[in-house]
Amino acid sequence: MDSLSVYVVGAGPAGLFAARKLAAAGHRVTIFNRDVRPGGLAEYGIYPMKHHMKAGLRKQFAKILAMPNVEYYGNVALHCDGPLSCESLRAWQPAAIVYAVGAQGTKKLGMPGEDARGVYSAKDFVYHYNALPPFSSQDFSTGRRVAIVGMGNVMVDIARWLLIDQPGAKPNEVTVIARRGPFEVKFDEKEFDYVEQFLDREAFREELARVSEVAAAAGQDVSTVADSVFPWIKTEPATPSQSKLKFRFLTSPVGIEADIAGRIERLRVVENLLIRQGEDTKARATDKESALPFDTLIFAIGDVADPTVGLPYGKNEYLCNTDPSDPDRAAYEVFDTATGSIITGDYLVGWARKASEGLVGKARFDAERGCDYVLKYLEHAPARSTPGSAEILDELQARSEAVVTKQGVERLFQAEAGQAQALGVPEFKYPTNQEMLGAIGELREAHCAA
Ligand SMILES: Cc1cc2nc3c(=O)[nH]c(=O)nc-3n(C[C@H](O)[C@H](O)[C@H](O)COP(=O)(O)OP(=O)(O)OC[C@H]3O[C@@H](n4cnc5c(N)ncnc54)[C@H](O)[C@@H]3O)c2cc1C
């Protein structure tokens, strides 16, 4: 097979494992990444104290970047109106482009008051505590009464951060707001173990009593909750905590009221019915409304694709092919509604293809599966004249503030490892691009091919 030039946009798990598969097949892979450092959510999403998991992934990613036919350009974001766009990448005529930009858009419920201070999306909040610029330097202050909307693992991570690891004062109460009932939790038991000691057992039993009738109408018996989904309520925590973790089931937010300083003061909610649909259940809002006092609200309801990347965009997602003759392959191909056909050679993988779906292993699987189709396409892709790596770097440097190469990333990791050792901490991350670029070796040096 001829060695062709393939671009990968995004260096999260999906982009990096895609790069590995394409490079292992002999192609020349160029990665363009918004963040200075590679890793995506493996760096900036996975819980900060999961050092072992993060270190293991970092090792695998370092091996991928070390492949001789893989180039990396960090601190380079694709934007439809920016100096680097999908069109400018296509103009360099790579044989294929694999988009692995993740789900960087924010899901909005479109309710009044959503822009109040103290209201955050989980992605931004998690980026903040994982030190991703610019979120790392922005205000994500939390108060004494925090609501988290959503019942997945991300909710648990955020509760864990607020109740255990966040520096400074801890909240008095963290309340999980869930559309459906206790049987519809989405988190893993072993993740909830981290915060179970904060679960207010008495309040939880009262909450079960409050929703028991509605649950019963959907064929659920809340008296069995302890045996199935909430085993923790069978026992009291060994060390009772000042901060309490509570649940408010069958509840949907409908509006936010702010105080005179513009910070959230109350969350208006409606109560829901639970409707059985075969094996599944669905929430249906009633007109029973109330207002709950909170000074912080975090939406952990999943994310959506970022429309500003410039790929054809539908409702919250990039558009992919719907060819019924081969739906699996088609689901990875970018579809252009303007022309009514696929954009030949453009592919989507990972969370860019299916937002907020699954763990790293799933993103990897998706990327590798997508690359099976990319590789098949490359077998017959036309040979084109594409710029070499020096030319691409020159072009990027002309368009960007400071481009970070894979050698620069190595220097960054060395500098951060040195800092961690000096401070006696398991991990250290520079929280601003300025500091990262400085550590790589002067802004100017990073600019001139790190
Ligand atoms: C809070 C949280 C906790 C998690 N914890 C775990 C866990 O404990 N274990 C686990 O296995 N999984 C965990 N996951 C899931 C895991 O992080 C994802 O499955 C995985 O990171 C998705 O990979 P991805 O490459 O598709 O997207 P991402 O990881 O989001 O990577 C996207 C990459 O694209 C780049 N990018 C974005 N926009 C642009 C642009 N415009 N131009 C160029 N580059 C761009 C970004 O810089 C980033 O490098 C967690 C996820 C979250 C949100």
Side-chain angles (χ1 to χ4, degrees):
M1 190 193 295
D2 286 342
S3 158
L4 296 170
S5 169
V6 183
Y7 296 170
V8 172
V9 187
L16 289 165
F17 286 116
R20 181 167 78 178
K21 182 141 189 175
L22 297 165
H27 297 295
R28 288 169 282 120
V29 179
T30 308
I31 304 173
F32 303 86
N33 193 40
R34 178 196 63 190
D35 305 334
V36 165
R37 66 204 302 139
L41 285 167
E43 277 290 349
Y44 293 117
I46 291 180
Y47 201 70
M49 277 66 193
K50 290 186 177 172
H51 298 297
H52 189 66
M53 179 190 285
K54 288 197 178 208
L57 286 167
R58 247 177 237 142
K59 241 186 215 168
Q60 295 188 59
F61 297 159
K63 275 191 192 157
I64 296 170
L65 290 191
M67 292 171 86
N69 50 342
V70 172
E71 291 298 341
Y72 174 83
Y73 301 119
N75 201 26
V76 172
L78 235 68
H79 192 282
C80 52
D81 300 323
L84 192 71
S85 61
C86 298
E87 284 73 29
S88 47
L89 283 193
R90 287 183 202 122
W92 290 339
Q93 304 208 61
I97 307 178
V98 177
Y99 291 93
V101 291
Q104 310 297 335
T106 301
K107 199 188 268 180
K108 291 261 180 186
L109 294 184
M111 58 186 194
E114 246 177 348
D115 296 329
R117 283 179 44 230
V119 177
Y120 312 121
S121 96
K123 170 174 57 63
D124 299 353
F125 190 75
V126 162
Y127 277 165
H128 169 74
Y129 69 60
N130 267 302
L132 172 67
F135 302 92
S136 45
S137 317
Q138 292 170 352
D139 173 26
F140 281 88
S141 55
T142 57
R144 291 304 168 111
R145 292 178 61 88
V146 183
I148 310 174
V149 180
M151 276 205 297
N153 283 330
V154 174
M155 173 279 287
V156 180
D157 273 6
I158 290 172
R160 181 177 169 191
W161 177 256
L162 294 168
L163 294 163
I164 302 174
D165 294 310
Q166 175 170 257
K170 303 287 180 266
N172 296 342
E173 251 179 59
V174 173
T175 303
V176 178
I177 308 277
R179 251 180 332 149
R180 297 189 288 165
F183 291 100
E184 282 83 18
V185 293
K186 292 275 180 234
F187 54 74
D188 295 327
E189 203 175 308
K190 70 175 177 30
E191 296 293 338
F192 198 80
D193 280 344
Y194 289 109
V195 291
E196 66 83 15
Q197 76 266 29
F198 298 94
L199 181 65
D200 184 333
R201 272 67 172 169
E202 197 182 325
F204 192 85
R205 282 184 212 104
E206 283 168 16
E207 180 61 6
L208 287 184
R210 189 184 72 82
V211 299
S212 61
E213 241 177 74
V214 175
Q220 296 179 342
D221 176 2
V222 296
S223 70
T224 65
V225 159
D227 296 323
S228 48
V229 276
F230 277 88
W232 308 278
I233 60 170
K234 286 182 183 167
T235 52
E236 288 301 315
T239 41
S241 153
Q242 288 296 309
S243 305
K244 302 288 178 206
L245 176 60
K246 297 185 175 178
F247 278 77
R248 170 98 186 185
F249 295 113
L250 294 166
T251 299
S252 289
V254 289
I256 290 161
E257 294 170 11
D259 61 16
I260 47 168
R263 190 174 181 102
I264 174 173
E265 192 173 41
R266 270 184 295 274
L267 177 67
R268 284 197 287 111
V269 297
V270 288
E271 291 181 21
N272 294 332
L273 297 176
L274 197 62
I275 310 298
R276 180 147 290 286
Q277 289 193 329
E279 287 297 287
D280 210 358
T281 54
K282 216 180 134 193
R284 182 184 294 158
T286 67
D287 54 8
K288 244 193 211 170
E289 193 171 319
S290 53
L292 309 173
F294 293 115
D295 53 30
T296 312
L297 174 66
I298 302 170
F299 284 104
I301 52 174
D303 300 302
V304 298
D306 172 9
T308 70
V309 168
L311 288 168
Y313 196 81
K315 192 174 175 284
N316 290 339
E317 59 187 9
Y318 302 126
L319 295 175
C320 61
N321 190 5
T322 50
D323 178 359
S325 68
D326 190 350
D328 190 40
R329 182 214 69 232
Y332 290 93
E333 295 173 340
V334 178
F335 184 84
D336 184 4
T337 29
T339 60
S341 58
I342 62 162
I343 301 181
T344 308
D346 276 18
Y347 292 83
L348 287 163
V349 294
W351 279 24
R353 196 173 83 81
K354 288 207 163 170
S356 304
E357 199 169 284
L359 299 176
V360 166
K362 188 151 188 181
R364 175 184 172 169
F365 176 83
D366 195 66
E368 292 177 347
R369 180 105 187 93
C371 285
D372 286 338
Y373 295 115
V374 180
L375 289 172
K376 264 194 204 135
Y377 165 75
L378 292 175
E379 284 172 17
H380 306 288
R384 290 157 158 176
S385 140
T386 53
S389 51
E391 233 176 302
I392 291 181
L393 188 57
D394 279 350
E395 280 286 340
L396 292 176
Q397 281 167 345
R399 297 168 199 221
S400 309
E401 179 207 334
V403 182
V404 175
T405 62
K406 59 184 186 179
Q407 293 79 9
V409 170
E410 256 175 51
R411 289 217 290 277
L412 173 65
F413 286 166
Q414 273 167 17
E416 289 184 333
Q419 287 287 332
Q421 202 174 17
L423 296 167
V425 291
E427 194 180 298
F428 176 87
K429 256 188 214 163
Y430 290 107
T432 64
N433 279 357
Q434 203 73 7
E435 287 165 278
M436 280 192 265
L437 295 170
I440 287 167
E442 305 301 320
L443 284 178
R444 164 127 186 81
E445 204 188 316
H447 209 24
C448 302

